[in-house]
Amino acid sequence: MRSYKIAVMRGDGIGPEIVDEGIKVLEAVSEPEGFELDWIEYPHGADHFLATGELLSEATLKELAGCAAIYFGCIGDPRLAPGVLEQGILLALRFYFDQYVNLRPVKLLEGVRTPLAGKGPADIDISVVRENTEDFYIGIGGRVGAGSTKNTLEILRSLYQVKFELDIVTDADELAYQIGVVSRKGCERVMRFAFELAREREKKLTSVDKANVLTHCYGFWREIFTEVAKDYPEVETEFNFVDAITMWFVKNPEWYDVVVAPNMFGDIITDLGAMIQGGLGLAPGGNINPEGVSMFEPIHGSAPKYKGKNVSNPIATIWAGALLLANIGEKRASDRVIEAIESVLKEGKVRTYDLGGSSKTREVGDAIAQRVRAQE
Ligand code: IPM
Ligand code: MN
């Protein structure tokens, strides 16, 4: 029998309970589809860190490298400063495994209401391809403390090649800076992934940037996009500024098919995307390295105040599980899970609070797992 080793990192807050439902559904589909999932649990997250001081060790990363994929819940905990777990666990995994594509389907499923008046499932079906290893996420930056005006100026001059002295800089005795970096290779590989997807779907590809202000990074991004586009003459392309695309996602989502975006803009527009597809409880994502170990997760956070209450919507996580199945080569099982999610949503009987219902997290998982079995 085909068998896959899947690493499970439930994380914090609602992570454990939503991942339970994901595993339940994937187990339900694996049996009739004739494969086996071997779940290997990892305790990483806030509790583990507070108890042991470990965020994510080299030894753990090496172990994870032997898995077919990683199934990830969510991280974030009010006891820790923002960024500790995010950088130490989630971003560490994305970077270590070089998961350079963050694929986020923004698709309104049948039976779900979008807040956009007059729009339906036919209008909202976008694949956002977010760059996932560069840009402002690389963590380069720093702070310069009070009383070191000269230092700050020198730093800024060299970093930003400041040619004139802005008041804010000359007067500053305390400042922080952060640098975004995009590389030719980094842009090219994520763009090629997006072009392949657009070609496969016979759809247009929109490239997102802010080349009118962040001219260094995104001027470069545009240049590379234009070059890569030459290899895909059958794909229609366009450029959108990031501020404009947030407006158009709301006004005319039907315009968009495949969208490729730098890391930070991709982060921002996919939260907006989640809302137009019915809410954060419905938005999955895949951190993909086409040649390596990929990781699948809901795009939402750990919602600490709902932890353990059995009220959160597990569908984003279950859907992320479906993306995982497609990634390990079980495409038919993946389709079955998505079909079951859609069927349960369309029927409308079992829904969590965020979708206007009163069903519990576990009931949603049960209903989808049952629907998967009934497909046979
Ligand atoms: C996401 C999240 C993460 C990100 C955080 C938790 C680091 O917002 O996956 O979209 O910014 O990428
Ligand atoms: Mn985000």
Side-chain angles (χ1 to χ4, degrees), residues 111-151:
V112 177
R113 243 192 55 201
T114 172
L116 303 184
K119 305 293 181 192
D123 301 308
I124 301 171
D125 184 3
I126 308 168
S127 288
V128 177
V129 177
R130 167 187 172 188
E131 199 289 318
N132 213 28
T133 55
E134 304 199 320
D135 200 42
F136 288 97
Y137 273 68
I138 56 173
I140 297 183
R143 273 197 194 199
V144 183
S148 53
T149 311
K150 200 161 153 259
N151 248 337

Side-chain angles (χ1 to χ4, degrees), residues 106-182:
V106 176
K107 185 170 158 58
L108 179 65
L109 299 180
E110 294 279 351
V112 177
R113 243 192 55 201
T114 172
L116 303 184
K119 305 293 181 192
D123 301 308
I124 301 171
D125 184 3
I126 308 168
S127 288
V128 177
V129 177
R130 167 187 172 188
E131 199 289 318
N132 213 28
T133 55
E134 304 199 320
D135 200 42
F136 288 97
Y137 273 68
I138 56 173
I140 297 183
R143 273 197 194 199
V144 183
S148 53
T149 311
K150 200 161 153 259
N151 248 337
T152 61
L153 253 180
E154 275 165 15
I155 289 168
L156 283 168
R157 279 223 182 82
S158 61
L159 289 176
Y160 294 117
Q161 298 167 342
V162 179
K163 293 187 182 65
F164 52 92
E165 291 183 5
L166 299 166
D167 283 350
I168 192 169
V169 173
T170 48
D171 294 348
D173 54 4
E174 199 176 359
L175 62 81
Y177 60 93
Q178 189 120 16
I179 309 207
V181 172
V182 294

Side-chain angles (χ1 to χ4, degrees), residues 86 90 94 104 130 137 267:
E86 290 87 340
L90 184 60
R94 289 177 182 170
R104 299 188 157 183
R130 167 187 172 188
Y137 273 68
D267 173 47

Side-chain angles (χ1 to χ4, degrees), residues 307-319:
K307 176 187 167 93
K309 296 210 156 66
N310 195 24
V311 296
S312 303
N313 190 345
I315 291 181
T317 309
I318 298 171
W319 192 347

Side-chain angles (χ1 to χ4, degrees), residues 22-253:
I23 291 179
K24 184 186 287 175
V25 173
L26 299 201
E27 279 291 316
V29 77
S30 67
E31 199 198 306
E33 286 295 323
F35 61 90
E36 220 170 55
L37 298 167
D38 180 10
W39 306 100
I40 302 163
E41 298 272 349
Y42 289 87
H44 298 75
D47 286 338
H48 181 75
F49 174 60
L50 289 169
T52 67
E54 185 206 3
L55 284 164
L56 195 58
S57 66
E58 188 73 25
T60 303
L61 287 165
K62 289 213 166 103
E63 252 181 70
L64 291 169
C67 293
I70 303 167
Y71 199 25
F72 194 89
C74 36
I75 41 154
D77 188 291
R79 290 170 293 176
L80 295 164
V84 174
L85 299 166
E86 290 87 340
Q87 288 182 338
I89 299 177
L90 184 60
L91 298 181
L93 286 164
R94 289 177 182 170
F95 288 5
Y96 182 84
F97 290 108
D98 204 17
Q99 294 158 346
Y100 62 85
V101 173
N102 194 327
L103 182 62
R104 299 188 157 183
V106 176
K107 185 170 158 58
L108 179 65
L109 299 180
E110 294 279 351
V112 177
R113 243 192 55 201
T114 172
L116 303 184
K119 305 293 181 192
D123 301 308
I124 301 171
D125 184 3
I126 308 168
S127 288
V128 177
V129 177
R130 167 187 172 188
E131 199 289 318
N132 213 28
T133 55
E134 304 199 320
D135 200 42
F136 288 97
Y137 273 68
I138 56 173
I140 297 183
R143 273 197 194 199
V144 183
S148 53
T149 311
K150 200 161 153 259
N151 248 337
T152 61
L153 253 180
E154 275 165 15
I155 289 168
L156 283 168
R157 279 223 182 82
S158 61
L159 289 176
Y160 294 117
Q161 298 167 342
V162 179
K163 293 187 182 65
F164 52 92
E165 291 183 5
L166 299 166
D167 283 350
I168 192 169
V169 173
T170 48
D171 294 348
D173 54 4
E174 199 176 359
L175 62 81
Y177 60 93
Q178 189 120 16
I179 309 207
V181 172
V182 294
S183 70
R184 173 173 289 280
K185 175 183 157 203
C187 294
E188 210 181 304
R189 62 187 187 174
V190 75
M191 287 169 183
R192 286 200 185 277
F193 186 95
F195 270 105
E196 299 284 339
L197 191 63
R199 183 160 68 184
E200 201 178 290
R201 290 174 48 135
E202 297 179 21
K203 295 285 173 65
K204 106 180 129 231
L205 175 60
T206 305
S207 166
V208 177
D209 62 50
K210 187 75 186 171
N212 51 344
V213 175
L214 299 162
T215 48
H216 296 289
C217 277
Y218 304 130
F220 188 50
W221 170 278
R222 270 197 185 206
E223 226 174 273
I224 295 167
F225 186 86
T226 306
E227 280 173 35
V228 175
K230 293 196 183 111
D231 290 340
Y232 301 87
E234 62 279 67
V235 177
E236 191 189 328
T237 60
E238 63 177 4
F239 290 111
N240 273 193
F241 291 133
V242 65
D243 48 348
I245 205 173
T246 61
M247 171 183 76
W248 293 117
F249 262 25
V250 172
K251 192 160 190 307
N252 293 113

Side-chain angles (χ1 to χ4, degrees), residues 108-113 121 282 315 337-351 355 364 367-368 371:
L108 179 65
L109 299 180
E110 294 279 351
V112 177
R113 243 192 55 201
L282 294 166
I315 291 181
V337 170
I338 293 171
E339 213 182 287
I341 292 172
E342 208 156 12
S343 153
V344 167
L345 284 170
K346 207 165 152 184
E347 192 180 65
K349 282 198 222 145
V350 182
R351 288 166 184 273
L355 300 180
V364 175
I368 296 170
R371 199 59 52 100

